[in-house]
Amino acid sequence: MRTRRSATLVFGCALVAVIVILAVASLVWLPYDPADTSGGRLASPGLPHLLGTDKLGRDLLTRLMVGARVALAVGIGSVLVGAALGVTSGLAAGFTTRWLDDTVAALLDILIAFPTLLVAMLVVAVRAASIGTVALAIGLAMSAVVARLTRVLVKRVLALDFITAARTAGTSWPRVVIGHVLPNIWPTLLVNLALQLGLAVLAEASLSYLGLGPPPPAASWGRMLQEAQATALTAPLGAIAPGVLLVVLVVGVNLVADGLRDVADPTRRRIR
Amino acid sequence: MNRTSSSRRSLIGAAVVAALALAPALTACGAGTDTSPPAAASPGASSTGAYDPNATIEIGSLYEPQNLDNTGGGGQGVTEAFNGNVYEGLFKLTDDGKVENLLATGYKVGADGLSYTFTLRDGVKFHSGKALTSADVKSSLEKVIGPASQSARKDSLSVIKSIETPDDSTVTVRLSAKSISFVYNLSYVWIVNAAAKDLATSEDGTGPYRLGTWKRGSTLSLSRFDGHWGTPATNKEVVFHYFTDASALDNALLTNAVDVVTSQQSPDALAQFTDNADYKVSDGHSTTKLLLAFNDRKAPFDKPLVRKAITSAIDNRKLLDSIWNGHGSLIGSMVPPTDPWYEDLTKINPYDVNLAKKELADAGFGGGFTFTLDTPNYDPHPTAAAFIKSELAKVGVTVNINVITADEWYTKVYKNHDFAATLQEHVNDRDVVWYGDPGFYWGYDDEQVIDWVKQAEQADSTDAQTALLKQVNRQIAEDAASDWLYLYPQIVVASADLQGYPINGLNSQFYAYGIKKSA
């Protein structure tokens, strides 16, 4: 029953699986060394370079596989950072006194007003660019969105009768959080975090495109797009391939998020 | 609500990146005695077909001026648009690197080599109508060496001790030390009306064009000055169109929005012009060198043998071909072919991985070492850095690439000398003399070279200067003071209707007065 209703989830998972398989495979096998420049400048797709080579003669398929690893690492890393910071501060704000809560809410609104990319660029400018820094930067920017959502969800749950009943029965606040609040907010949070993962992947590609991503020779899709821009007329696959993989991953993650929402939200299940 | 907006944002983002990926095509010395007025530059200086003397030449460029004053931080753009076109110097640097008389008809050097007397050309008028006098030359020179000057030639001209104007057409300059490059350096000094004001936004020069209108961020137009002392410009108007994106500039040329692109930056975009009878592509020499500059003060790069090993381990030809696809050249040292003291020194540290390994072992680094390469974050530096990392891995040397902004480079590398090795473009001609300054950022310190550079500047003849600077060039190559990766090409793409435009573009200048457009 559930499987039938979540075709988007299945399709989304299939798309994400393509990228995950590329990334995992790159850990155990690569067609070439990613730094090997022996392939000749802009070799055409075929044998021995299935998708051709870039300007420096590096194998495109190899770099796409390594790029998948970078995209997933930054995406997942930034979601973990964003979730850890966002959920913690959102929970704290939800439970605190009203004036402190208002202050936190105002601060979060200000933070959200800054574009994710701008916040990430500021962090990258201060720290040396690396996969870790980029994940941290995007995660920090993301945490404000997660915190605001968490705070609203917590407030909504705390206003429900069963919380009052639990408190009346003498349940401590930590037990209320773990036993009642978190189980009621995690489905919504999970859907949101999945969407944030897609945004994080795009943010990493944008930062790399601007030269602020993991330093060369790291094979980031954004950087590959930037490098291929000048050669797009003579070797279009160099620009098309990383772009297509980015779209596959982002659309896949968004579909997974939509699917998760369908599964987690009984109201929507009934409507369909 | 939140979910919906997030979802929409992510899809919009995906669409933007997809568009970026799928539609790239859319974006997709010595002074001679020549007294002739400015001649048209090559190629095709001697016109065979009829041309339209009232044509407007549309020039596409990536370098908009910051302001219109070359002593006030106007940048590369104002040199390109104004040098020789709006302002003239006492001397001019021709497109093939020679110094010729311009507003001066000649000069005499005193017996001690410390005084220069210049005779000014008669009948020269500024665009405002005022006649050129020696007072204007004096004030122009004082402006370049004055405390507020940001001119690149300020230091070179600081040898000026005094300037005298015995009459309206004679200027005598006394120097504190002999300077064989003095006349050459004067080719960079624009002669400006001493009474002119607001030079950052207006002009008063003697050139064949006067400033029309400057629409910031868009265009700058020059119109022919009918009162010019020499041969009038072969076109009526020149309009510089400024672009920030090389692909957009190429598209403008393809759609005839511009007639010529001053400096093509993407060899891969050339395919659309090379096999097209409507366009001409010229491949000249620039003076821009890409350097892998070592910090010669600090271990391990304080050892010449280590630097030689690194130089021999990198296949510069392959790097040049990767980035410029067959354009550009290897020079093996700091001097480009347009400098009088050029020699092909590419054989001194040849690409030879086995030699590199042996030199590393001889220097005590048989097991390799690790260093950080400070890399400016704009092209072609990151690409070159990735290539160097890959090449040096073959000899056991590990490179950590540290990508930095231009501002960081200036502070960290240029000012504080806090680096092991770096990548940088050096754009000027005749800049090998920097190896005679141990305080320069790369810290090359060789007493003999310092002495040769000093002697060369105080030489009595250009032959002596040339011989000494050739020795400097050879010595720094033998010490591998830096690794001169390659010399950039200067690719000019123009409509087939055009002739007489400069092909070398030394120091970014672009003489437009000889450009002819078919009638």
Side-chain angles (χ1 to χ4, degrees):
Chain A
M1 188 99 168
R2 178 171 288 191
T3 313
R4 187 154 37 90
R5 285 186 188 122
S6 55
T8 48
L9 181 62
V10 174
F11 187 55
C13 283
L15 291 180
V16 175
V18 171
I19 307 298
V20 173
I21 289 168
L22 279 178
V24 173
S26 77
L27 293 171
V28 289
W29 175 82
L30 283 169
Y32 289 88
D33 180 337
D36 181 358
T37 58
S38 65
R41 188 178 198 270
L42 300 177
S44 304
L47 287 175
H49 296 280
L50 214 55
L51 297 180
T53 61
D54 68 2
K55 255 191 331 195
L56 287 180
R58 297 175 294 193
D59 183 63
L60 193 57
L61 177 60
T62 304
R63 290 178 61 73
L64 286 170
M65 289 171 74
V66 178
R69 206 158 74 196
V70 173
L72 285 178
V74 172
I76 293 169
S78 49
V79 166
L80 289 177
V81 172
L85 289 174
V87 173
T88 312
S89 51
L91 275 173
F95 277 94
T96 195
T97 55
R98 185 169 175 184
W99 70 268
L100 194 57
D101 177 37
D102 287 347
T103 312
V104 172
L107 271 174
L108 289 176
D109 283 342
I110 292 169
L111 272 176
I112 287 167
F114 282 99
T116 305
L117 211 54
L118 190 63
V119 177
M121 281 167 79
L122 286 173
V123 176
V124 173
V126 174
R127 288 170 56 97
S130 67
I131 292 180
T133 304
V134 173
L136 178 71
I138 299 171
L140 275 177
M142 184 195 295
S143 63
V145 179
V146 177
R148 188 167 74 164
L149 176 67
T150 309
R151 175 182 157 274
V152 171
L153 291 173
V154 168
K155 289 261 172 221
R156 197 182 292 161
V157 172
L158 287 182
L160 296 175
D161 289 345
F162 72 92
I163 299 288
T164 316
R167 284 296 290 155
T168 312
T171 313
S172 65
W173 276 124
R175 283 183 70 101
V176 169
V177 171
I178 295 164
H180 299 294
V181 177
L182 281 178
N184 279 286
I185 66 171
W186 78 261
T188 312
L189 269 182
L190 194 65
V191 170
N192 189 266
L193 289 176
L195 286 170
Q196 294 296 330
L197 176 64
L199 289 174
V201 168
L202 280 177
E204 186 276 325
S206 308
L207 283 173
S208 295
Y209 184 86
L210 296 170
L212 295 167
S220 157
W221 291 340
R223 169 123 206 110
M224 290 173 75
L225 272 174
Q226 194 273 333
E227 287 173 352
Q229 191 173 316
T231 57
L233 286 175
T234 39
L237 200 58
I240 293 170
V244 167
L245 288 191
L246 257 178
V247 173
V248 167
L249 179 55
V250 174
V251 171
V253 165
N254 282 339
L255 291 177
V256 168
D258 279 353
L260 282 177
R261 184 183 53 188
D262 291 350
V263 171
D265 187 346
T267 326
R268 291 187 68 88
R269 230 182 288 160
R270 265 199 307 276
I271 293 166
R272 288 190 180 180
Chain B
M1 277 292 277
N2 196 300
R3 275 181 249 159
T4 316
S5 62
S6 293
S7 180
R8 193 175 298 141
R9 277 164 56 197
S10 56
L11 285 173
I12 290 169
V16 170
V17 173
L20 198 66
L22 297 171
L26 297 177
T27 57
C29 166
T33 52
D34 169 40
T35 53
S36 63
S42 57
S46 54
S47 168
T48 48
Y51 72 93
D52 177 7
N54 291 319
T56 297
I57 311 295
E58 314 281 353
I59 299 175
S61 170
L62 293 169
Y63 311 106
E64 183 171 11
Q66 304 295 311
N67 62 60
L68 301 182
D69 184 358
N70 77 337
T71 65
Q76 180 176 351
V78 77
T79 303
E80 182 178 84
F82 274 21
N83 196 45
N85 295 327
V86 172
Y87 287 112
E88 295 171 316
L90 293 179
F91 302 92
K92 76 172 223 181
L93 189 65
T94 64
D95 196 41
D96 50 2
K98 294 193 176 68
V99 177
E100 291 178 356
N101 291 344
L102 195 57
L103 293 181
T105 54
Y107 66 93
K108 284 182 190 153
V109 186
D112 58 358
L114 294 174
S115 75
Y116 284 71
T117 302
F118 302 96
T119 310
L120 303 185
R121 191 177 294 279
D122 285 336
V124 177
K125 282 187 176 163
F126 287 102
H127 300 150
S128 59
K130 179 183 162 294
L132 167 74
T133 66
S134 53
D136 299 309
V137 176
K138 183 172 191 273
S139 83
S140 299
L141 279 168
E142 286 170 346
K143 191 162 174 279
V144 171
I145 57 176
S149 166
Q150 295 177 41
S151 168
R153 300 286 151 175
K154 185 178 176 179
D155 286 346
S156 316
L157 289 168
S158 62
V159 290
I160 295 177
K161 198 169 137 192
S162 66
I163 305 165
E164 291 152 28
T165 52
D167 60 54
D168 274 358
S169 60
T170 309
V171 181
T172 301
V173 179
R174 294 193 181 282
L175 307 182
S176 55
K178 281 165 76 175
S179 173
I180 189 87
S181 307
F182 182 58
V183 168
Y184 159 79
N185 285 329
L186 287 180
S187 69
Y188 289 88
V189 178
W190 291 350
I191 304 305
V192 186
N193 180 357
K197 289 191 169 55
D198 301 326
L199 291 171
T201 53
S202 62
E203 57 88 12
D204 196 7
T206 61
Y209 297 98
R210 60 202 312 169
L211 174 67
T213 50
W214 180 26
K215 295 177 188 161
R216 283 180 191 255
S218 172
T219 57
L220 184 151
S221 70
L222 309 177
S223 53
R224 186 165 56 206
F225 173 47
D226 293 328
H228 186 245
W229 56 272
T231 308
T234 52
N235 50 68
K236 191 179 179 190
E237 190 185 29
V238 169
V239 183
F240 285 86
H241 296 259
Y242 295 112
F243 293 79
T244 52
D245 179 83
S247 303
L249 179 52
D250 288 336
N251 287 334
L253 187 59
L254 281 171
T255 54
N256 297 322
V258 300
D259 299 315
V260 57
V261 171
T262 58
S263 175
Q264 175 64 252
Q265 294 301 314
S266 168
D268 297 285
L270 282 177
Q272 54 200 326
F273 303 111
T274 44
D275 298 327
N276 189 334
D278 293 337
Y279 299 96
K280 289 190 290 194
V281 177
S282 66
D283 202 346
H285 288 295
S286 76
T287 51
T288 304
K289 291 114 350 209
L290 181 65
L291 263 69
L292 166 59
F294 308 111
N295 189 343
D296 297 352
R297 300 174 186 86
K298 288 186 186 170
F301 296 121
D302 55 343
K303 292 186 176 176
L305 205 53
V306 174
R307 304 195 297 255
K308 286 172 81 70
I310 298 295
T311 304
S312 283
I314 300 170
D315 187 351
N316 291 344
R317 168 58 60 190
K318 190 172 172 188
L319 174 66
L320 176 64
D321 287 347
S322 296
I323 293 178
W324 280 104
N325 197 19
H327 302 276
S329 50
L330 302 184
I331 48 177
S333 193
M334 187 67 171
V335 178
T338 42
D339 283 359
W341 31 90
Y342 166 73
E343 266 187 292
D344 180 357
L345 299 174
T346 48
K347 291 191 173 65
I348 289 186
N349 293 301
Y351 170 59
D352 184 337
V353 175
N354 290 329
L355 174 66
K357 283 179 180 166
K358 184 180 174 297
E359 286 173 336
L360 277 176
D362 291 349
F365 289 98
F369 62 93
T370 300
F371 73 93
T372 298
L373 180 61
D374 286 319
T375 306
N377 62 354
Y378 48 92
D379 279 336
H381 305 103
T383 309
F387 180 81
I388 289 167
K389 183 181 172 85
S390 157
E391 292 285 277
L392 295 186
K394 295 174 192 164
V395 294
V397 173
T398 307
V399 180
N400 292 324
I401 298 171
N402 180 33
V403 179
I404 53 177
T405 62
D407 285 346
E408 281 176 285
W409 188 89
Y410 180 75
T411 310
K412 183 175 187 288
V413 178
Y414 190 79
K415 277 182 76 179
N416 298 336
H417 307 161
D418 175 21
F419 73 109
T422 188
L423 287 167
Q424 190 53 260
E425 298 162 311
H426 284 259
V427 299
N428 290 322
D429 64 338
R430 305 194 180 194
D431 53 2
V432 69
V433 294
W434 287 115
Y435 285 93
D437 177 5
F440 202 57
Y441 80 87
W442 48 52
Y444 177 72
D445 190 355
D446 182 286
E447 277 183 24
Q448 182 70 76
V449 166
I450 296 169
D451 194 41
W452 281 337
V453 168
K454 203 173 165 187
Q455 281 182 43
E457 191 53 27
Q458 299 188 355
D460 291 325
S461 68
T462 49
D463 286 348
Q465 179 197 24
T466 301
L468 283 160
L469 289 178
K470 274 188 176 174
Q471 283 177 270
V472 169
N473 198 28
R474 182 167 284 276
Q475 186 61 49
I476 58 169
E478 279 169 1
D479 284 347
S482 306
D483 183 1
W484 302 273
L485 297 167
Y486 59 76
L487 180 72
Y488 283 55
Q490 169 72 11
I491 302 172
V492 179
V493 183
S495 154
D497 292 342
L498 239 54
Q499 55 190 325
Y501 49 87
I503 56 166
N504 286 328
L506 300 187
N507 303 313
S508 314
Q509 61 191 15
F510 196 84
Y511 299 143
Y513 46 76
I515 302 180
K516 295 173 179 173
K517 196 173 189 177
S518 298

